[in-house]
Amino acid sequence: MQIKDLPYADPGVPDVRSGFRFLLWLGRRQLGGQLKCLFWGLLLQLGIAGLPLGVGLSVQAVVDRDGAGFALGVGLLIACGLSIAVGDTMVHRVAVTNWITAAARVQQLLARKTAELGSVLTRRVAAGEVVAVSTGDVEKIGWFVEAASRFASAAVALVAVCVGLVLYQPELGPLVALAVPVLALAALPLLPRATRRADEQREKAGRATELASDTVAGLRVLRGIGGEELFLGRYRAASQEVRRAAVHSARMWALIAALQVLLPGLLLVGVVVYGAGLALDGRISVGALVTVYGAVALTHHPLRTFEEIAMAYSFSRPSARRAARVLALSRTASVRAGTADEVPDGDLYDPVTGVRAPAGAFTAMVCGDPDAAGRLADRLGGHPAEPDERHTSVLLGGVALDTLPLDTARRAVLVQDKDPVLLSGTLAELLDVPSSGAVSAADALDAARCADVLDALAQASVDTGGDPMRTRITERGRSLSGGQRQRLALARSLVTDPAVLVLDDPTSAVDAHTEARVADGIKRLRAGRTTVVLASSPLLLDLADRVVLVDDGTAVAVGTHRELLAGEPRYRAVVTRETDTEPAPDDAPADGLDDTLDDGLVPLGELEGESA
């Protein structure tokens, strides 16, 4: 895989059972690049290891006045120089490629997971953690993936040097061969503590990032209540904890780095002292001493790779664990592969709450708790906020959404959050979304009553000839009012024309007059299509063909707005904002449902049907 070939056509299915397994999976997916880096790394390391031999032969040839031997030594030095030049260049090139492609693979996986889960992702994982995983954690993971092959080449080179020295100089070689493994593993007892400190630093940095992200997202609210200093103090305290943890971790890594300098230095001194004695006794030649000395001196380079791989693993392991935790999320507890590509037709029914939206009808659902309404909207879209093993899928026409491929499920049911996001770009780009083609952008904008928004966009853009469709909208629609953003988001949802459209409080930011017009536009444009609105506004509820009251996660009453208003005290308390529920008459049933026929209501069980 080359950088020019990115992005991947298919980044694959990761092994997310643990952070270590995720790193192994990434390494296997990068096997070709790893082998290339291993080859060029061996060329580099063996070229470095050959330098002492060339120097030793040259020195001994000068001592012996051997011209042929000197030419051989110089030739070996030239060959080693070329090997180092080519190897170092290609190792850097391939290692950077491995780093970037591994990071790109993780980012693609995260982007795919974000697209799969949508807004539910930030309900299961803090937004700051998602940001931390997709930025800093991705770099740490890529670092370990590319360092693994360089470490392997350094380890092979060290083994080759030790074996070569034992064969070349039996007097000094065994000493080096015994000392090098000790040097390589000397830092091993310190790694667990260094890893724990690195984990602590990463966790505190992640919490600080989450706090900063949440603070920025709620900056307007903080200013409104005068809470900037409070949250600034919290972030200052969190950042100081990160600083202390980083210093604590750096001290341990500094100790490991010091050992990587001290111990090879002691070995080098020992080789020189012992070797000089052997040379004075005539047991080894001067050239052999120079060769062994040079080989020991140059082992410092591959030994540093041992420190690097330890550090890379220590930093990448918590990053991989965090990435695996995000990638392990699914839209349901147990997504089953489906084969159906056609969108099923029929009622939308949730077996858990008992709510039903008849096909082709405009259904309103009333929940006393706005958070409960948001969770219900997610369930109806096939994205429960807290999936578990007992999860029961929502049914569309009797077909579980879980069994549908994701693209098909998205075409079947579209959920618009109560706080939708507008991406930056022109209005035409905002409305250029996958759709059935049955609803034009003009019709959607008209149904969402966006005439004043179009006028404002036309006046705000002088370089587009007054064309509002070519006017750029700033990030998250910050240049628009809350009601304007809400109506443009509604128009975008209407353009898609899904089989089932679920709207969570779509008119909460507009005035009553505009709300009534928007509600009428939704009902007119969506005539014959299944539409579900979660709201408590009487203007919306009065236009609905059917209203379902949801209390404590269960559908408890069904009827029209006027019927429920007259006969269901709990409904009346939510819709009219009553502080106390009116007491039921003495002769009325306790649950308010058994005698609903006299109040013009249909019993819920009979309306839903036993087969549901």
Side-chain angles (χ1 to χ4, degrees):
M1 185 70 181
Q2 300 297 319
I3 296 177
K4 65 180 181 181
D5 298 324
L6 294 174
Y8 291 97
D10 179 14
V13 180
D15 186 346
V16 294
R17 288 175 290 178
S18 67
F20 179 72
R21 289 179 182 271
F22 181 60
L23 290 174
L24 287 181
W25 177 83
L26 274 178
R28 290 195 300 268
R29 298 290 291 189
Q30 306 276 135
L31 187 59
Q34 298 285 1
L35 292 177
K36 290 180 182 178
C37 191
L38 176 62
F39 171 77
W40 294 115
L42 285 174
L43 184 65
L44 168 65
Q45 297 290 350
L46 294 179
I48 294 175
L51 288 176
L53 181 60
V55 172
L57 291 176
S58 301
V59 170
Q60 189 61 42
V62 171
V63 173
D64 298 339
R65 300 182 180 277
D66 182 3
F70 183 77
L72 177 62
V74 172
L76 181 58
L77 288 174
I78 294 175
C80 289
L82 292 175
S83 174
I84 293 171
V86 175
D88 196 19
T89 300
M90 295 305 299
V91 160
H92 179 74
R93 180 185 180 91
V94 177
V96 170
T97 300
N98 287 343
W99 189 338
I100 293 177
T101 52
R105 186 186 299 277
V106 177
Q107 287 180 326
Q108 277 190 250
L109 291 171
L110 291 170
R112 185 174 68 182
K113 182 58 63 175
T114 302
E116 175 188 341
L117 295 177
S119 62
V120 179
L121 175 63
T122 54
R123 291 191 179 98
R124 301 186 191 172
V125 181
E129 182 170 354
V130 178
V131 173
V133 170
S134 59
T135 53
D137 287 339
V138 166
E139 293 186 4
K140 297 295 187 300
I141 293 171
W143 177 26
F144 174 76
V145 171
E146 71 86 11
S149 52
R150 292 190 292 107
F151 163 72
S153 63
V156 172
L158 282 177
V159 172
V161 167
C162 292
V163 173
L165 287 179
V166 170
L167 297 177
Y168 172 73
Q169 184 48 253
E171 296 287 345
L172 277 175
L175 173 64
V176 177
L178 292 175
V180 166
V182 175
L183 298 183
L185 301 177
L188 194 60
L190 300 177
L191 285 181
R193 180 177 298 180
T195 301
R196 286 195 300 271
R197 293 187 180 184
D199 290 350
E200 181 182 357
Q201 177 193 353
R202 295 297 301 166
E203 290 175 2
K204 291 185 176 181
R207 287 197 294 270
T209 303
E210 293 171 17
L211 180 60
S213 177
D214 293 341
T215 302
V216 171
L219 188 58
R220 180 176 298 180
V221 177
L222 291 177
R223 287 175 176 172
I225 63 176
E228 302 101 312
E229 290 301 325
L230 174 62
F231 278 85
L232 182 60
R234 291 181 180 178
Y235 181 72
R236 184 182 293 111
S239 64
Q240 289 301 311
E241 288 184 8
V242 174
R243 181 189 63 80
R244 286 191 291 269
V247 172
H248 199 52
S249 177
R251 287 173 179 169
M252 185 56 64
W253 289 111
L255 177 59
I256 293 176
L259 287 177
Q260 294 293 327
V261 174
L262 175 64
L263 296 181
L266 293 177
L267 175 62
L268 194 60
V269 171
V271 167
V272 170
V273 172
Y274 182 60
L278 294 178
L280 290 176
D281 294 340
R283 296 166 59 184
I284 64 172
S285 65
V286 175
L289 176 60
V290 171
T291 299
V292 176
Y293 170 82
V296 173
L298 292 178
T299 56
H300 179 70
H301 183 270
L303 283 173
R304 296 286 297 187
T305 310
F306 281 74
E307 176 193 349
E308 181 186 5
I309 194 64
M311 182 179 292
Y313 178 71
S314 298
F315 279 94
S316 66
R317 189 184 67 171
S319 297
R321 186 168 60 244
R322 288 151 62 104
R325 184 166 60 246
V326 173
L327 294 175
L329 299 175
S330 61
R331 58 189 178 120
T332 57
S334 56
V335 178
R336 299 178 293 277
T339 58
D341 291 327
E342 295 184 1
V343 176
D345 186 21
D347 297 353
L348 180 68
Y349 175 66
D350 179 16
V352 174
T353 61
V355 300
R356 179 186 295 276
F362 183 12
T363 302
M365 298 183 183
V366 177
C367 298
D369 181 4
D371 293 334
R375 292 192 294 269
L376 177 58
D378 290 334
R379 276 198 55 79
L380 294 177
H383 298 283
E386 297 294 340
D388 54 41
E389 296 300 326
R390 299 181 307 245
H391 168 67
T392 303
S393 174
V394 171
L395 306 178
L396 179 60
V399 179
L401 287 182
D402 285 3
T403 63
L404 297 175
L406 181 59
D407 292 341
T408 306
R410 288 287 172 82
R411 293 199 309 270
V413 182
L414 173 67
V415 178
Q416 176 179 301
D417 293 334
K418 66 178 63 179
D419 187 22
V421 175
L422 301 183
L423 302 179
S424 59
T426 65
L427 180 57
E429 292 171 340
L430 174 69
L431 300 178
D432 184 17
V433 293
S435 64
S436 66
V439 178
S440 66
D443 291 339
L445 289 168
D446 180 63
R449 307 309 181 198
C450 295
D452 61 318
V453 185
L454 297 179
D455 292 339
L457 291 176
Q459 295 175 6
S461 182
V462 296
D463 57 346
T464 61
D467 183 2
M469 300 301 292
R470 295 167 55 195
T471 303
R472 293 195 64 82
I473 298 174
T474 57
E475 183 185 2
R476 301 181 69 89
R478 290 193 174 92
S479 59
L480 304 172
S481 68
Q484 290 174 332
R485 289 196 300 269
Q486 196 172 57
R487 283 178 284 159
L488 285 181
L490 175 60
R492 179 179 59 188
S493 298
L494 293 173
V495 164
T496 61
D497 189 38
V500 179
L501 177 61
V502 180
L503 303 172
D504 185 4
D505 213 357
T507 58
S508 60
V510 300
D511 58 79
H513 175 68
T514 304
E515 182 179 28
R517 296 174 60 235
V518 170
D520 181 70
I522 295 174
K523 184 172 182 178
R524 176 179 52 81
L525 189 64
R526 293 285 300 174
R529 305 286 275 170
T530 306
T531 306
V532 179
V533 175
L534 290 98
S536 57
S537 169
L539 293 173
L540 273 170
L541 300 175
D542 196 37
L543 288 176
D545 301 320
R546 160 192 174 101
V547 180
V548 180
L549 174 62
V550 181
D551 184 42
D552 196 22
T554 304
V556 295
V558 178
T560 66
H561 169 60
R562 297 178 187 273
E563 291 170 347
L564 291 174
L565 199 61
E568 176 53 61
R570 289 171 293 183
Y571 179 82
R572 187 165 54 249
V574 174
V575 174
T576 63
R577 310 298 197 272
E578 291 181 1
T579 57
D580 293 313
T581 303
E582 295 182 7
D586 295 339
D587 57 347
D591 58 5
L593 283 176
D594 295 340
D595 199 26
T596 51
L597 288 176
D598 293 337
D599 294 324
L601 301 181
V602 180
L604 183 61
E606 292 181 13
L607 193 146
E608 303 298 358
E610 297 298 331
S611 60

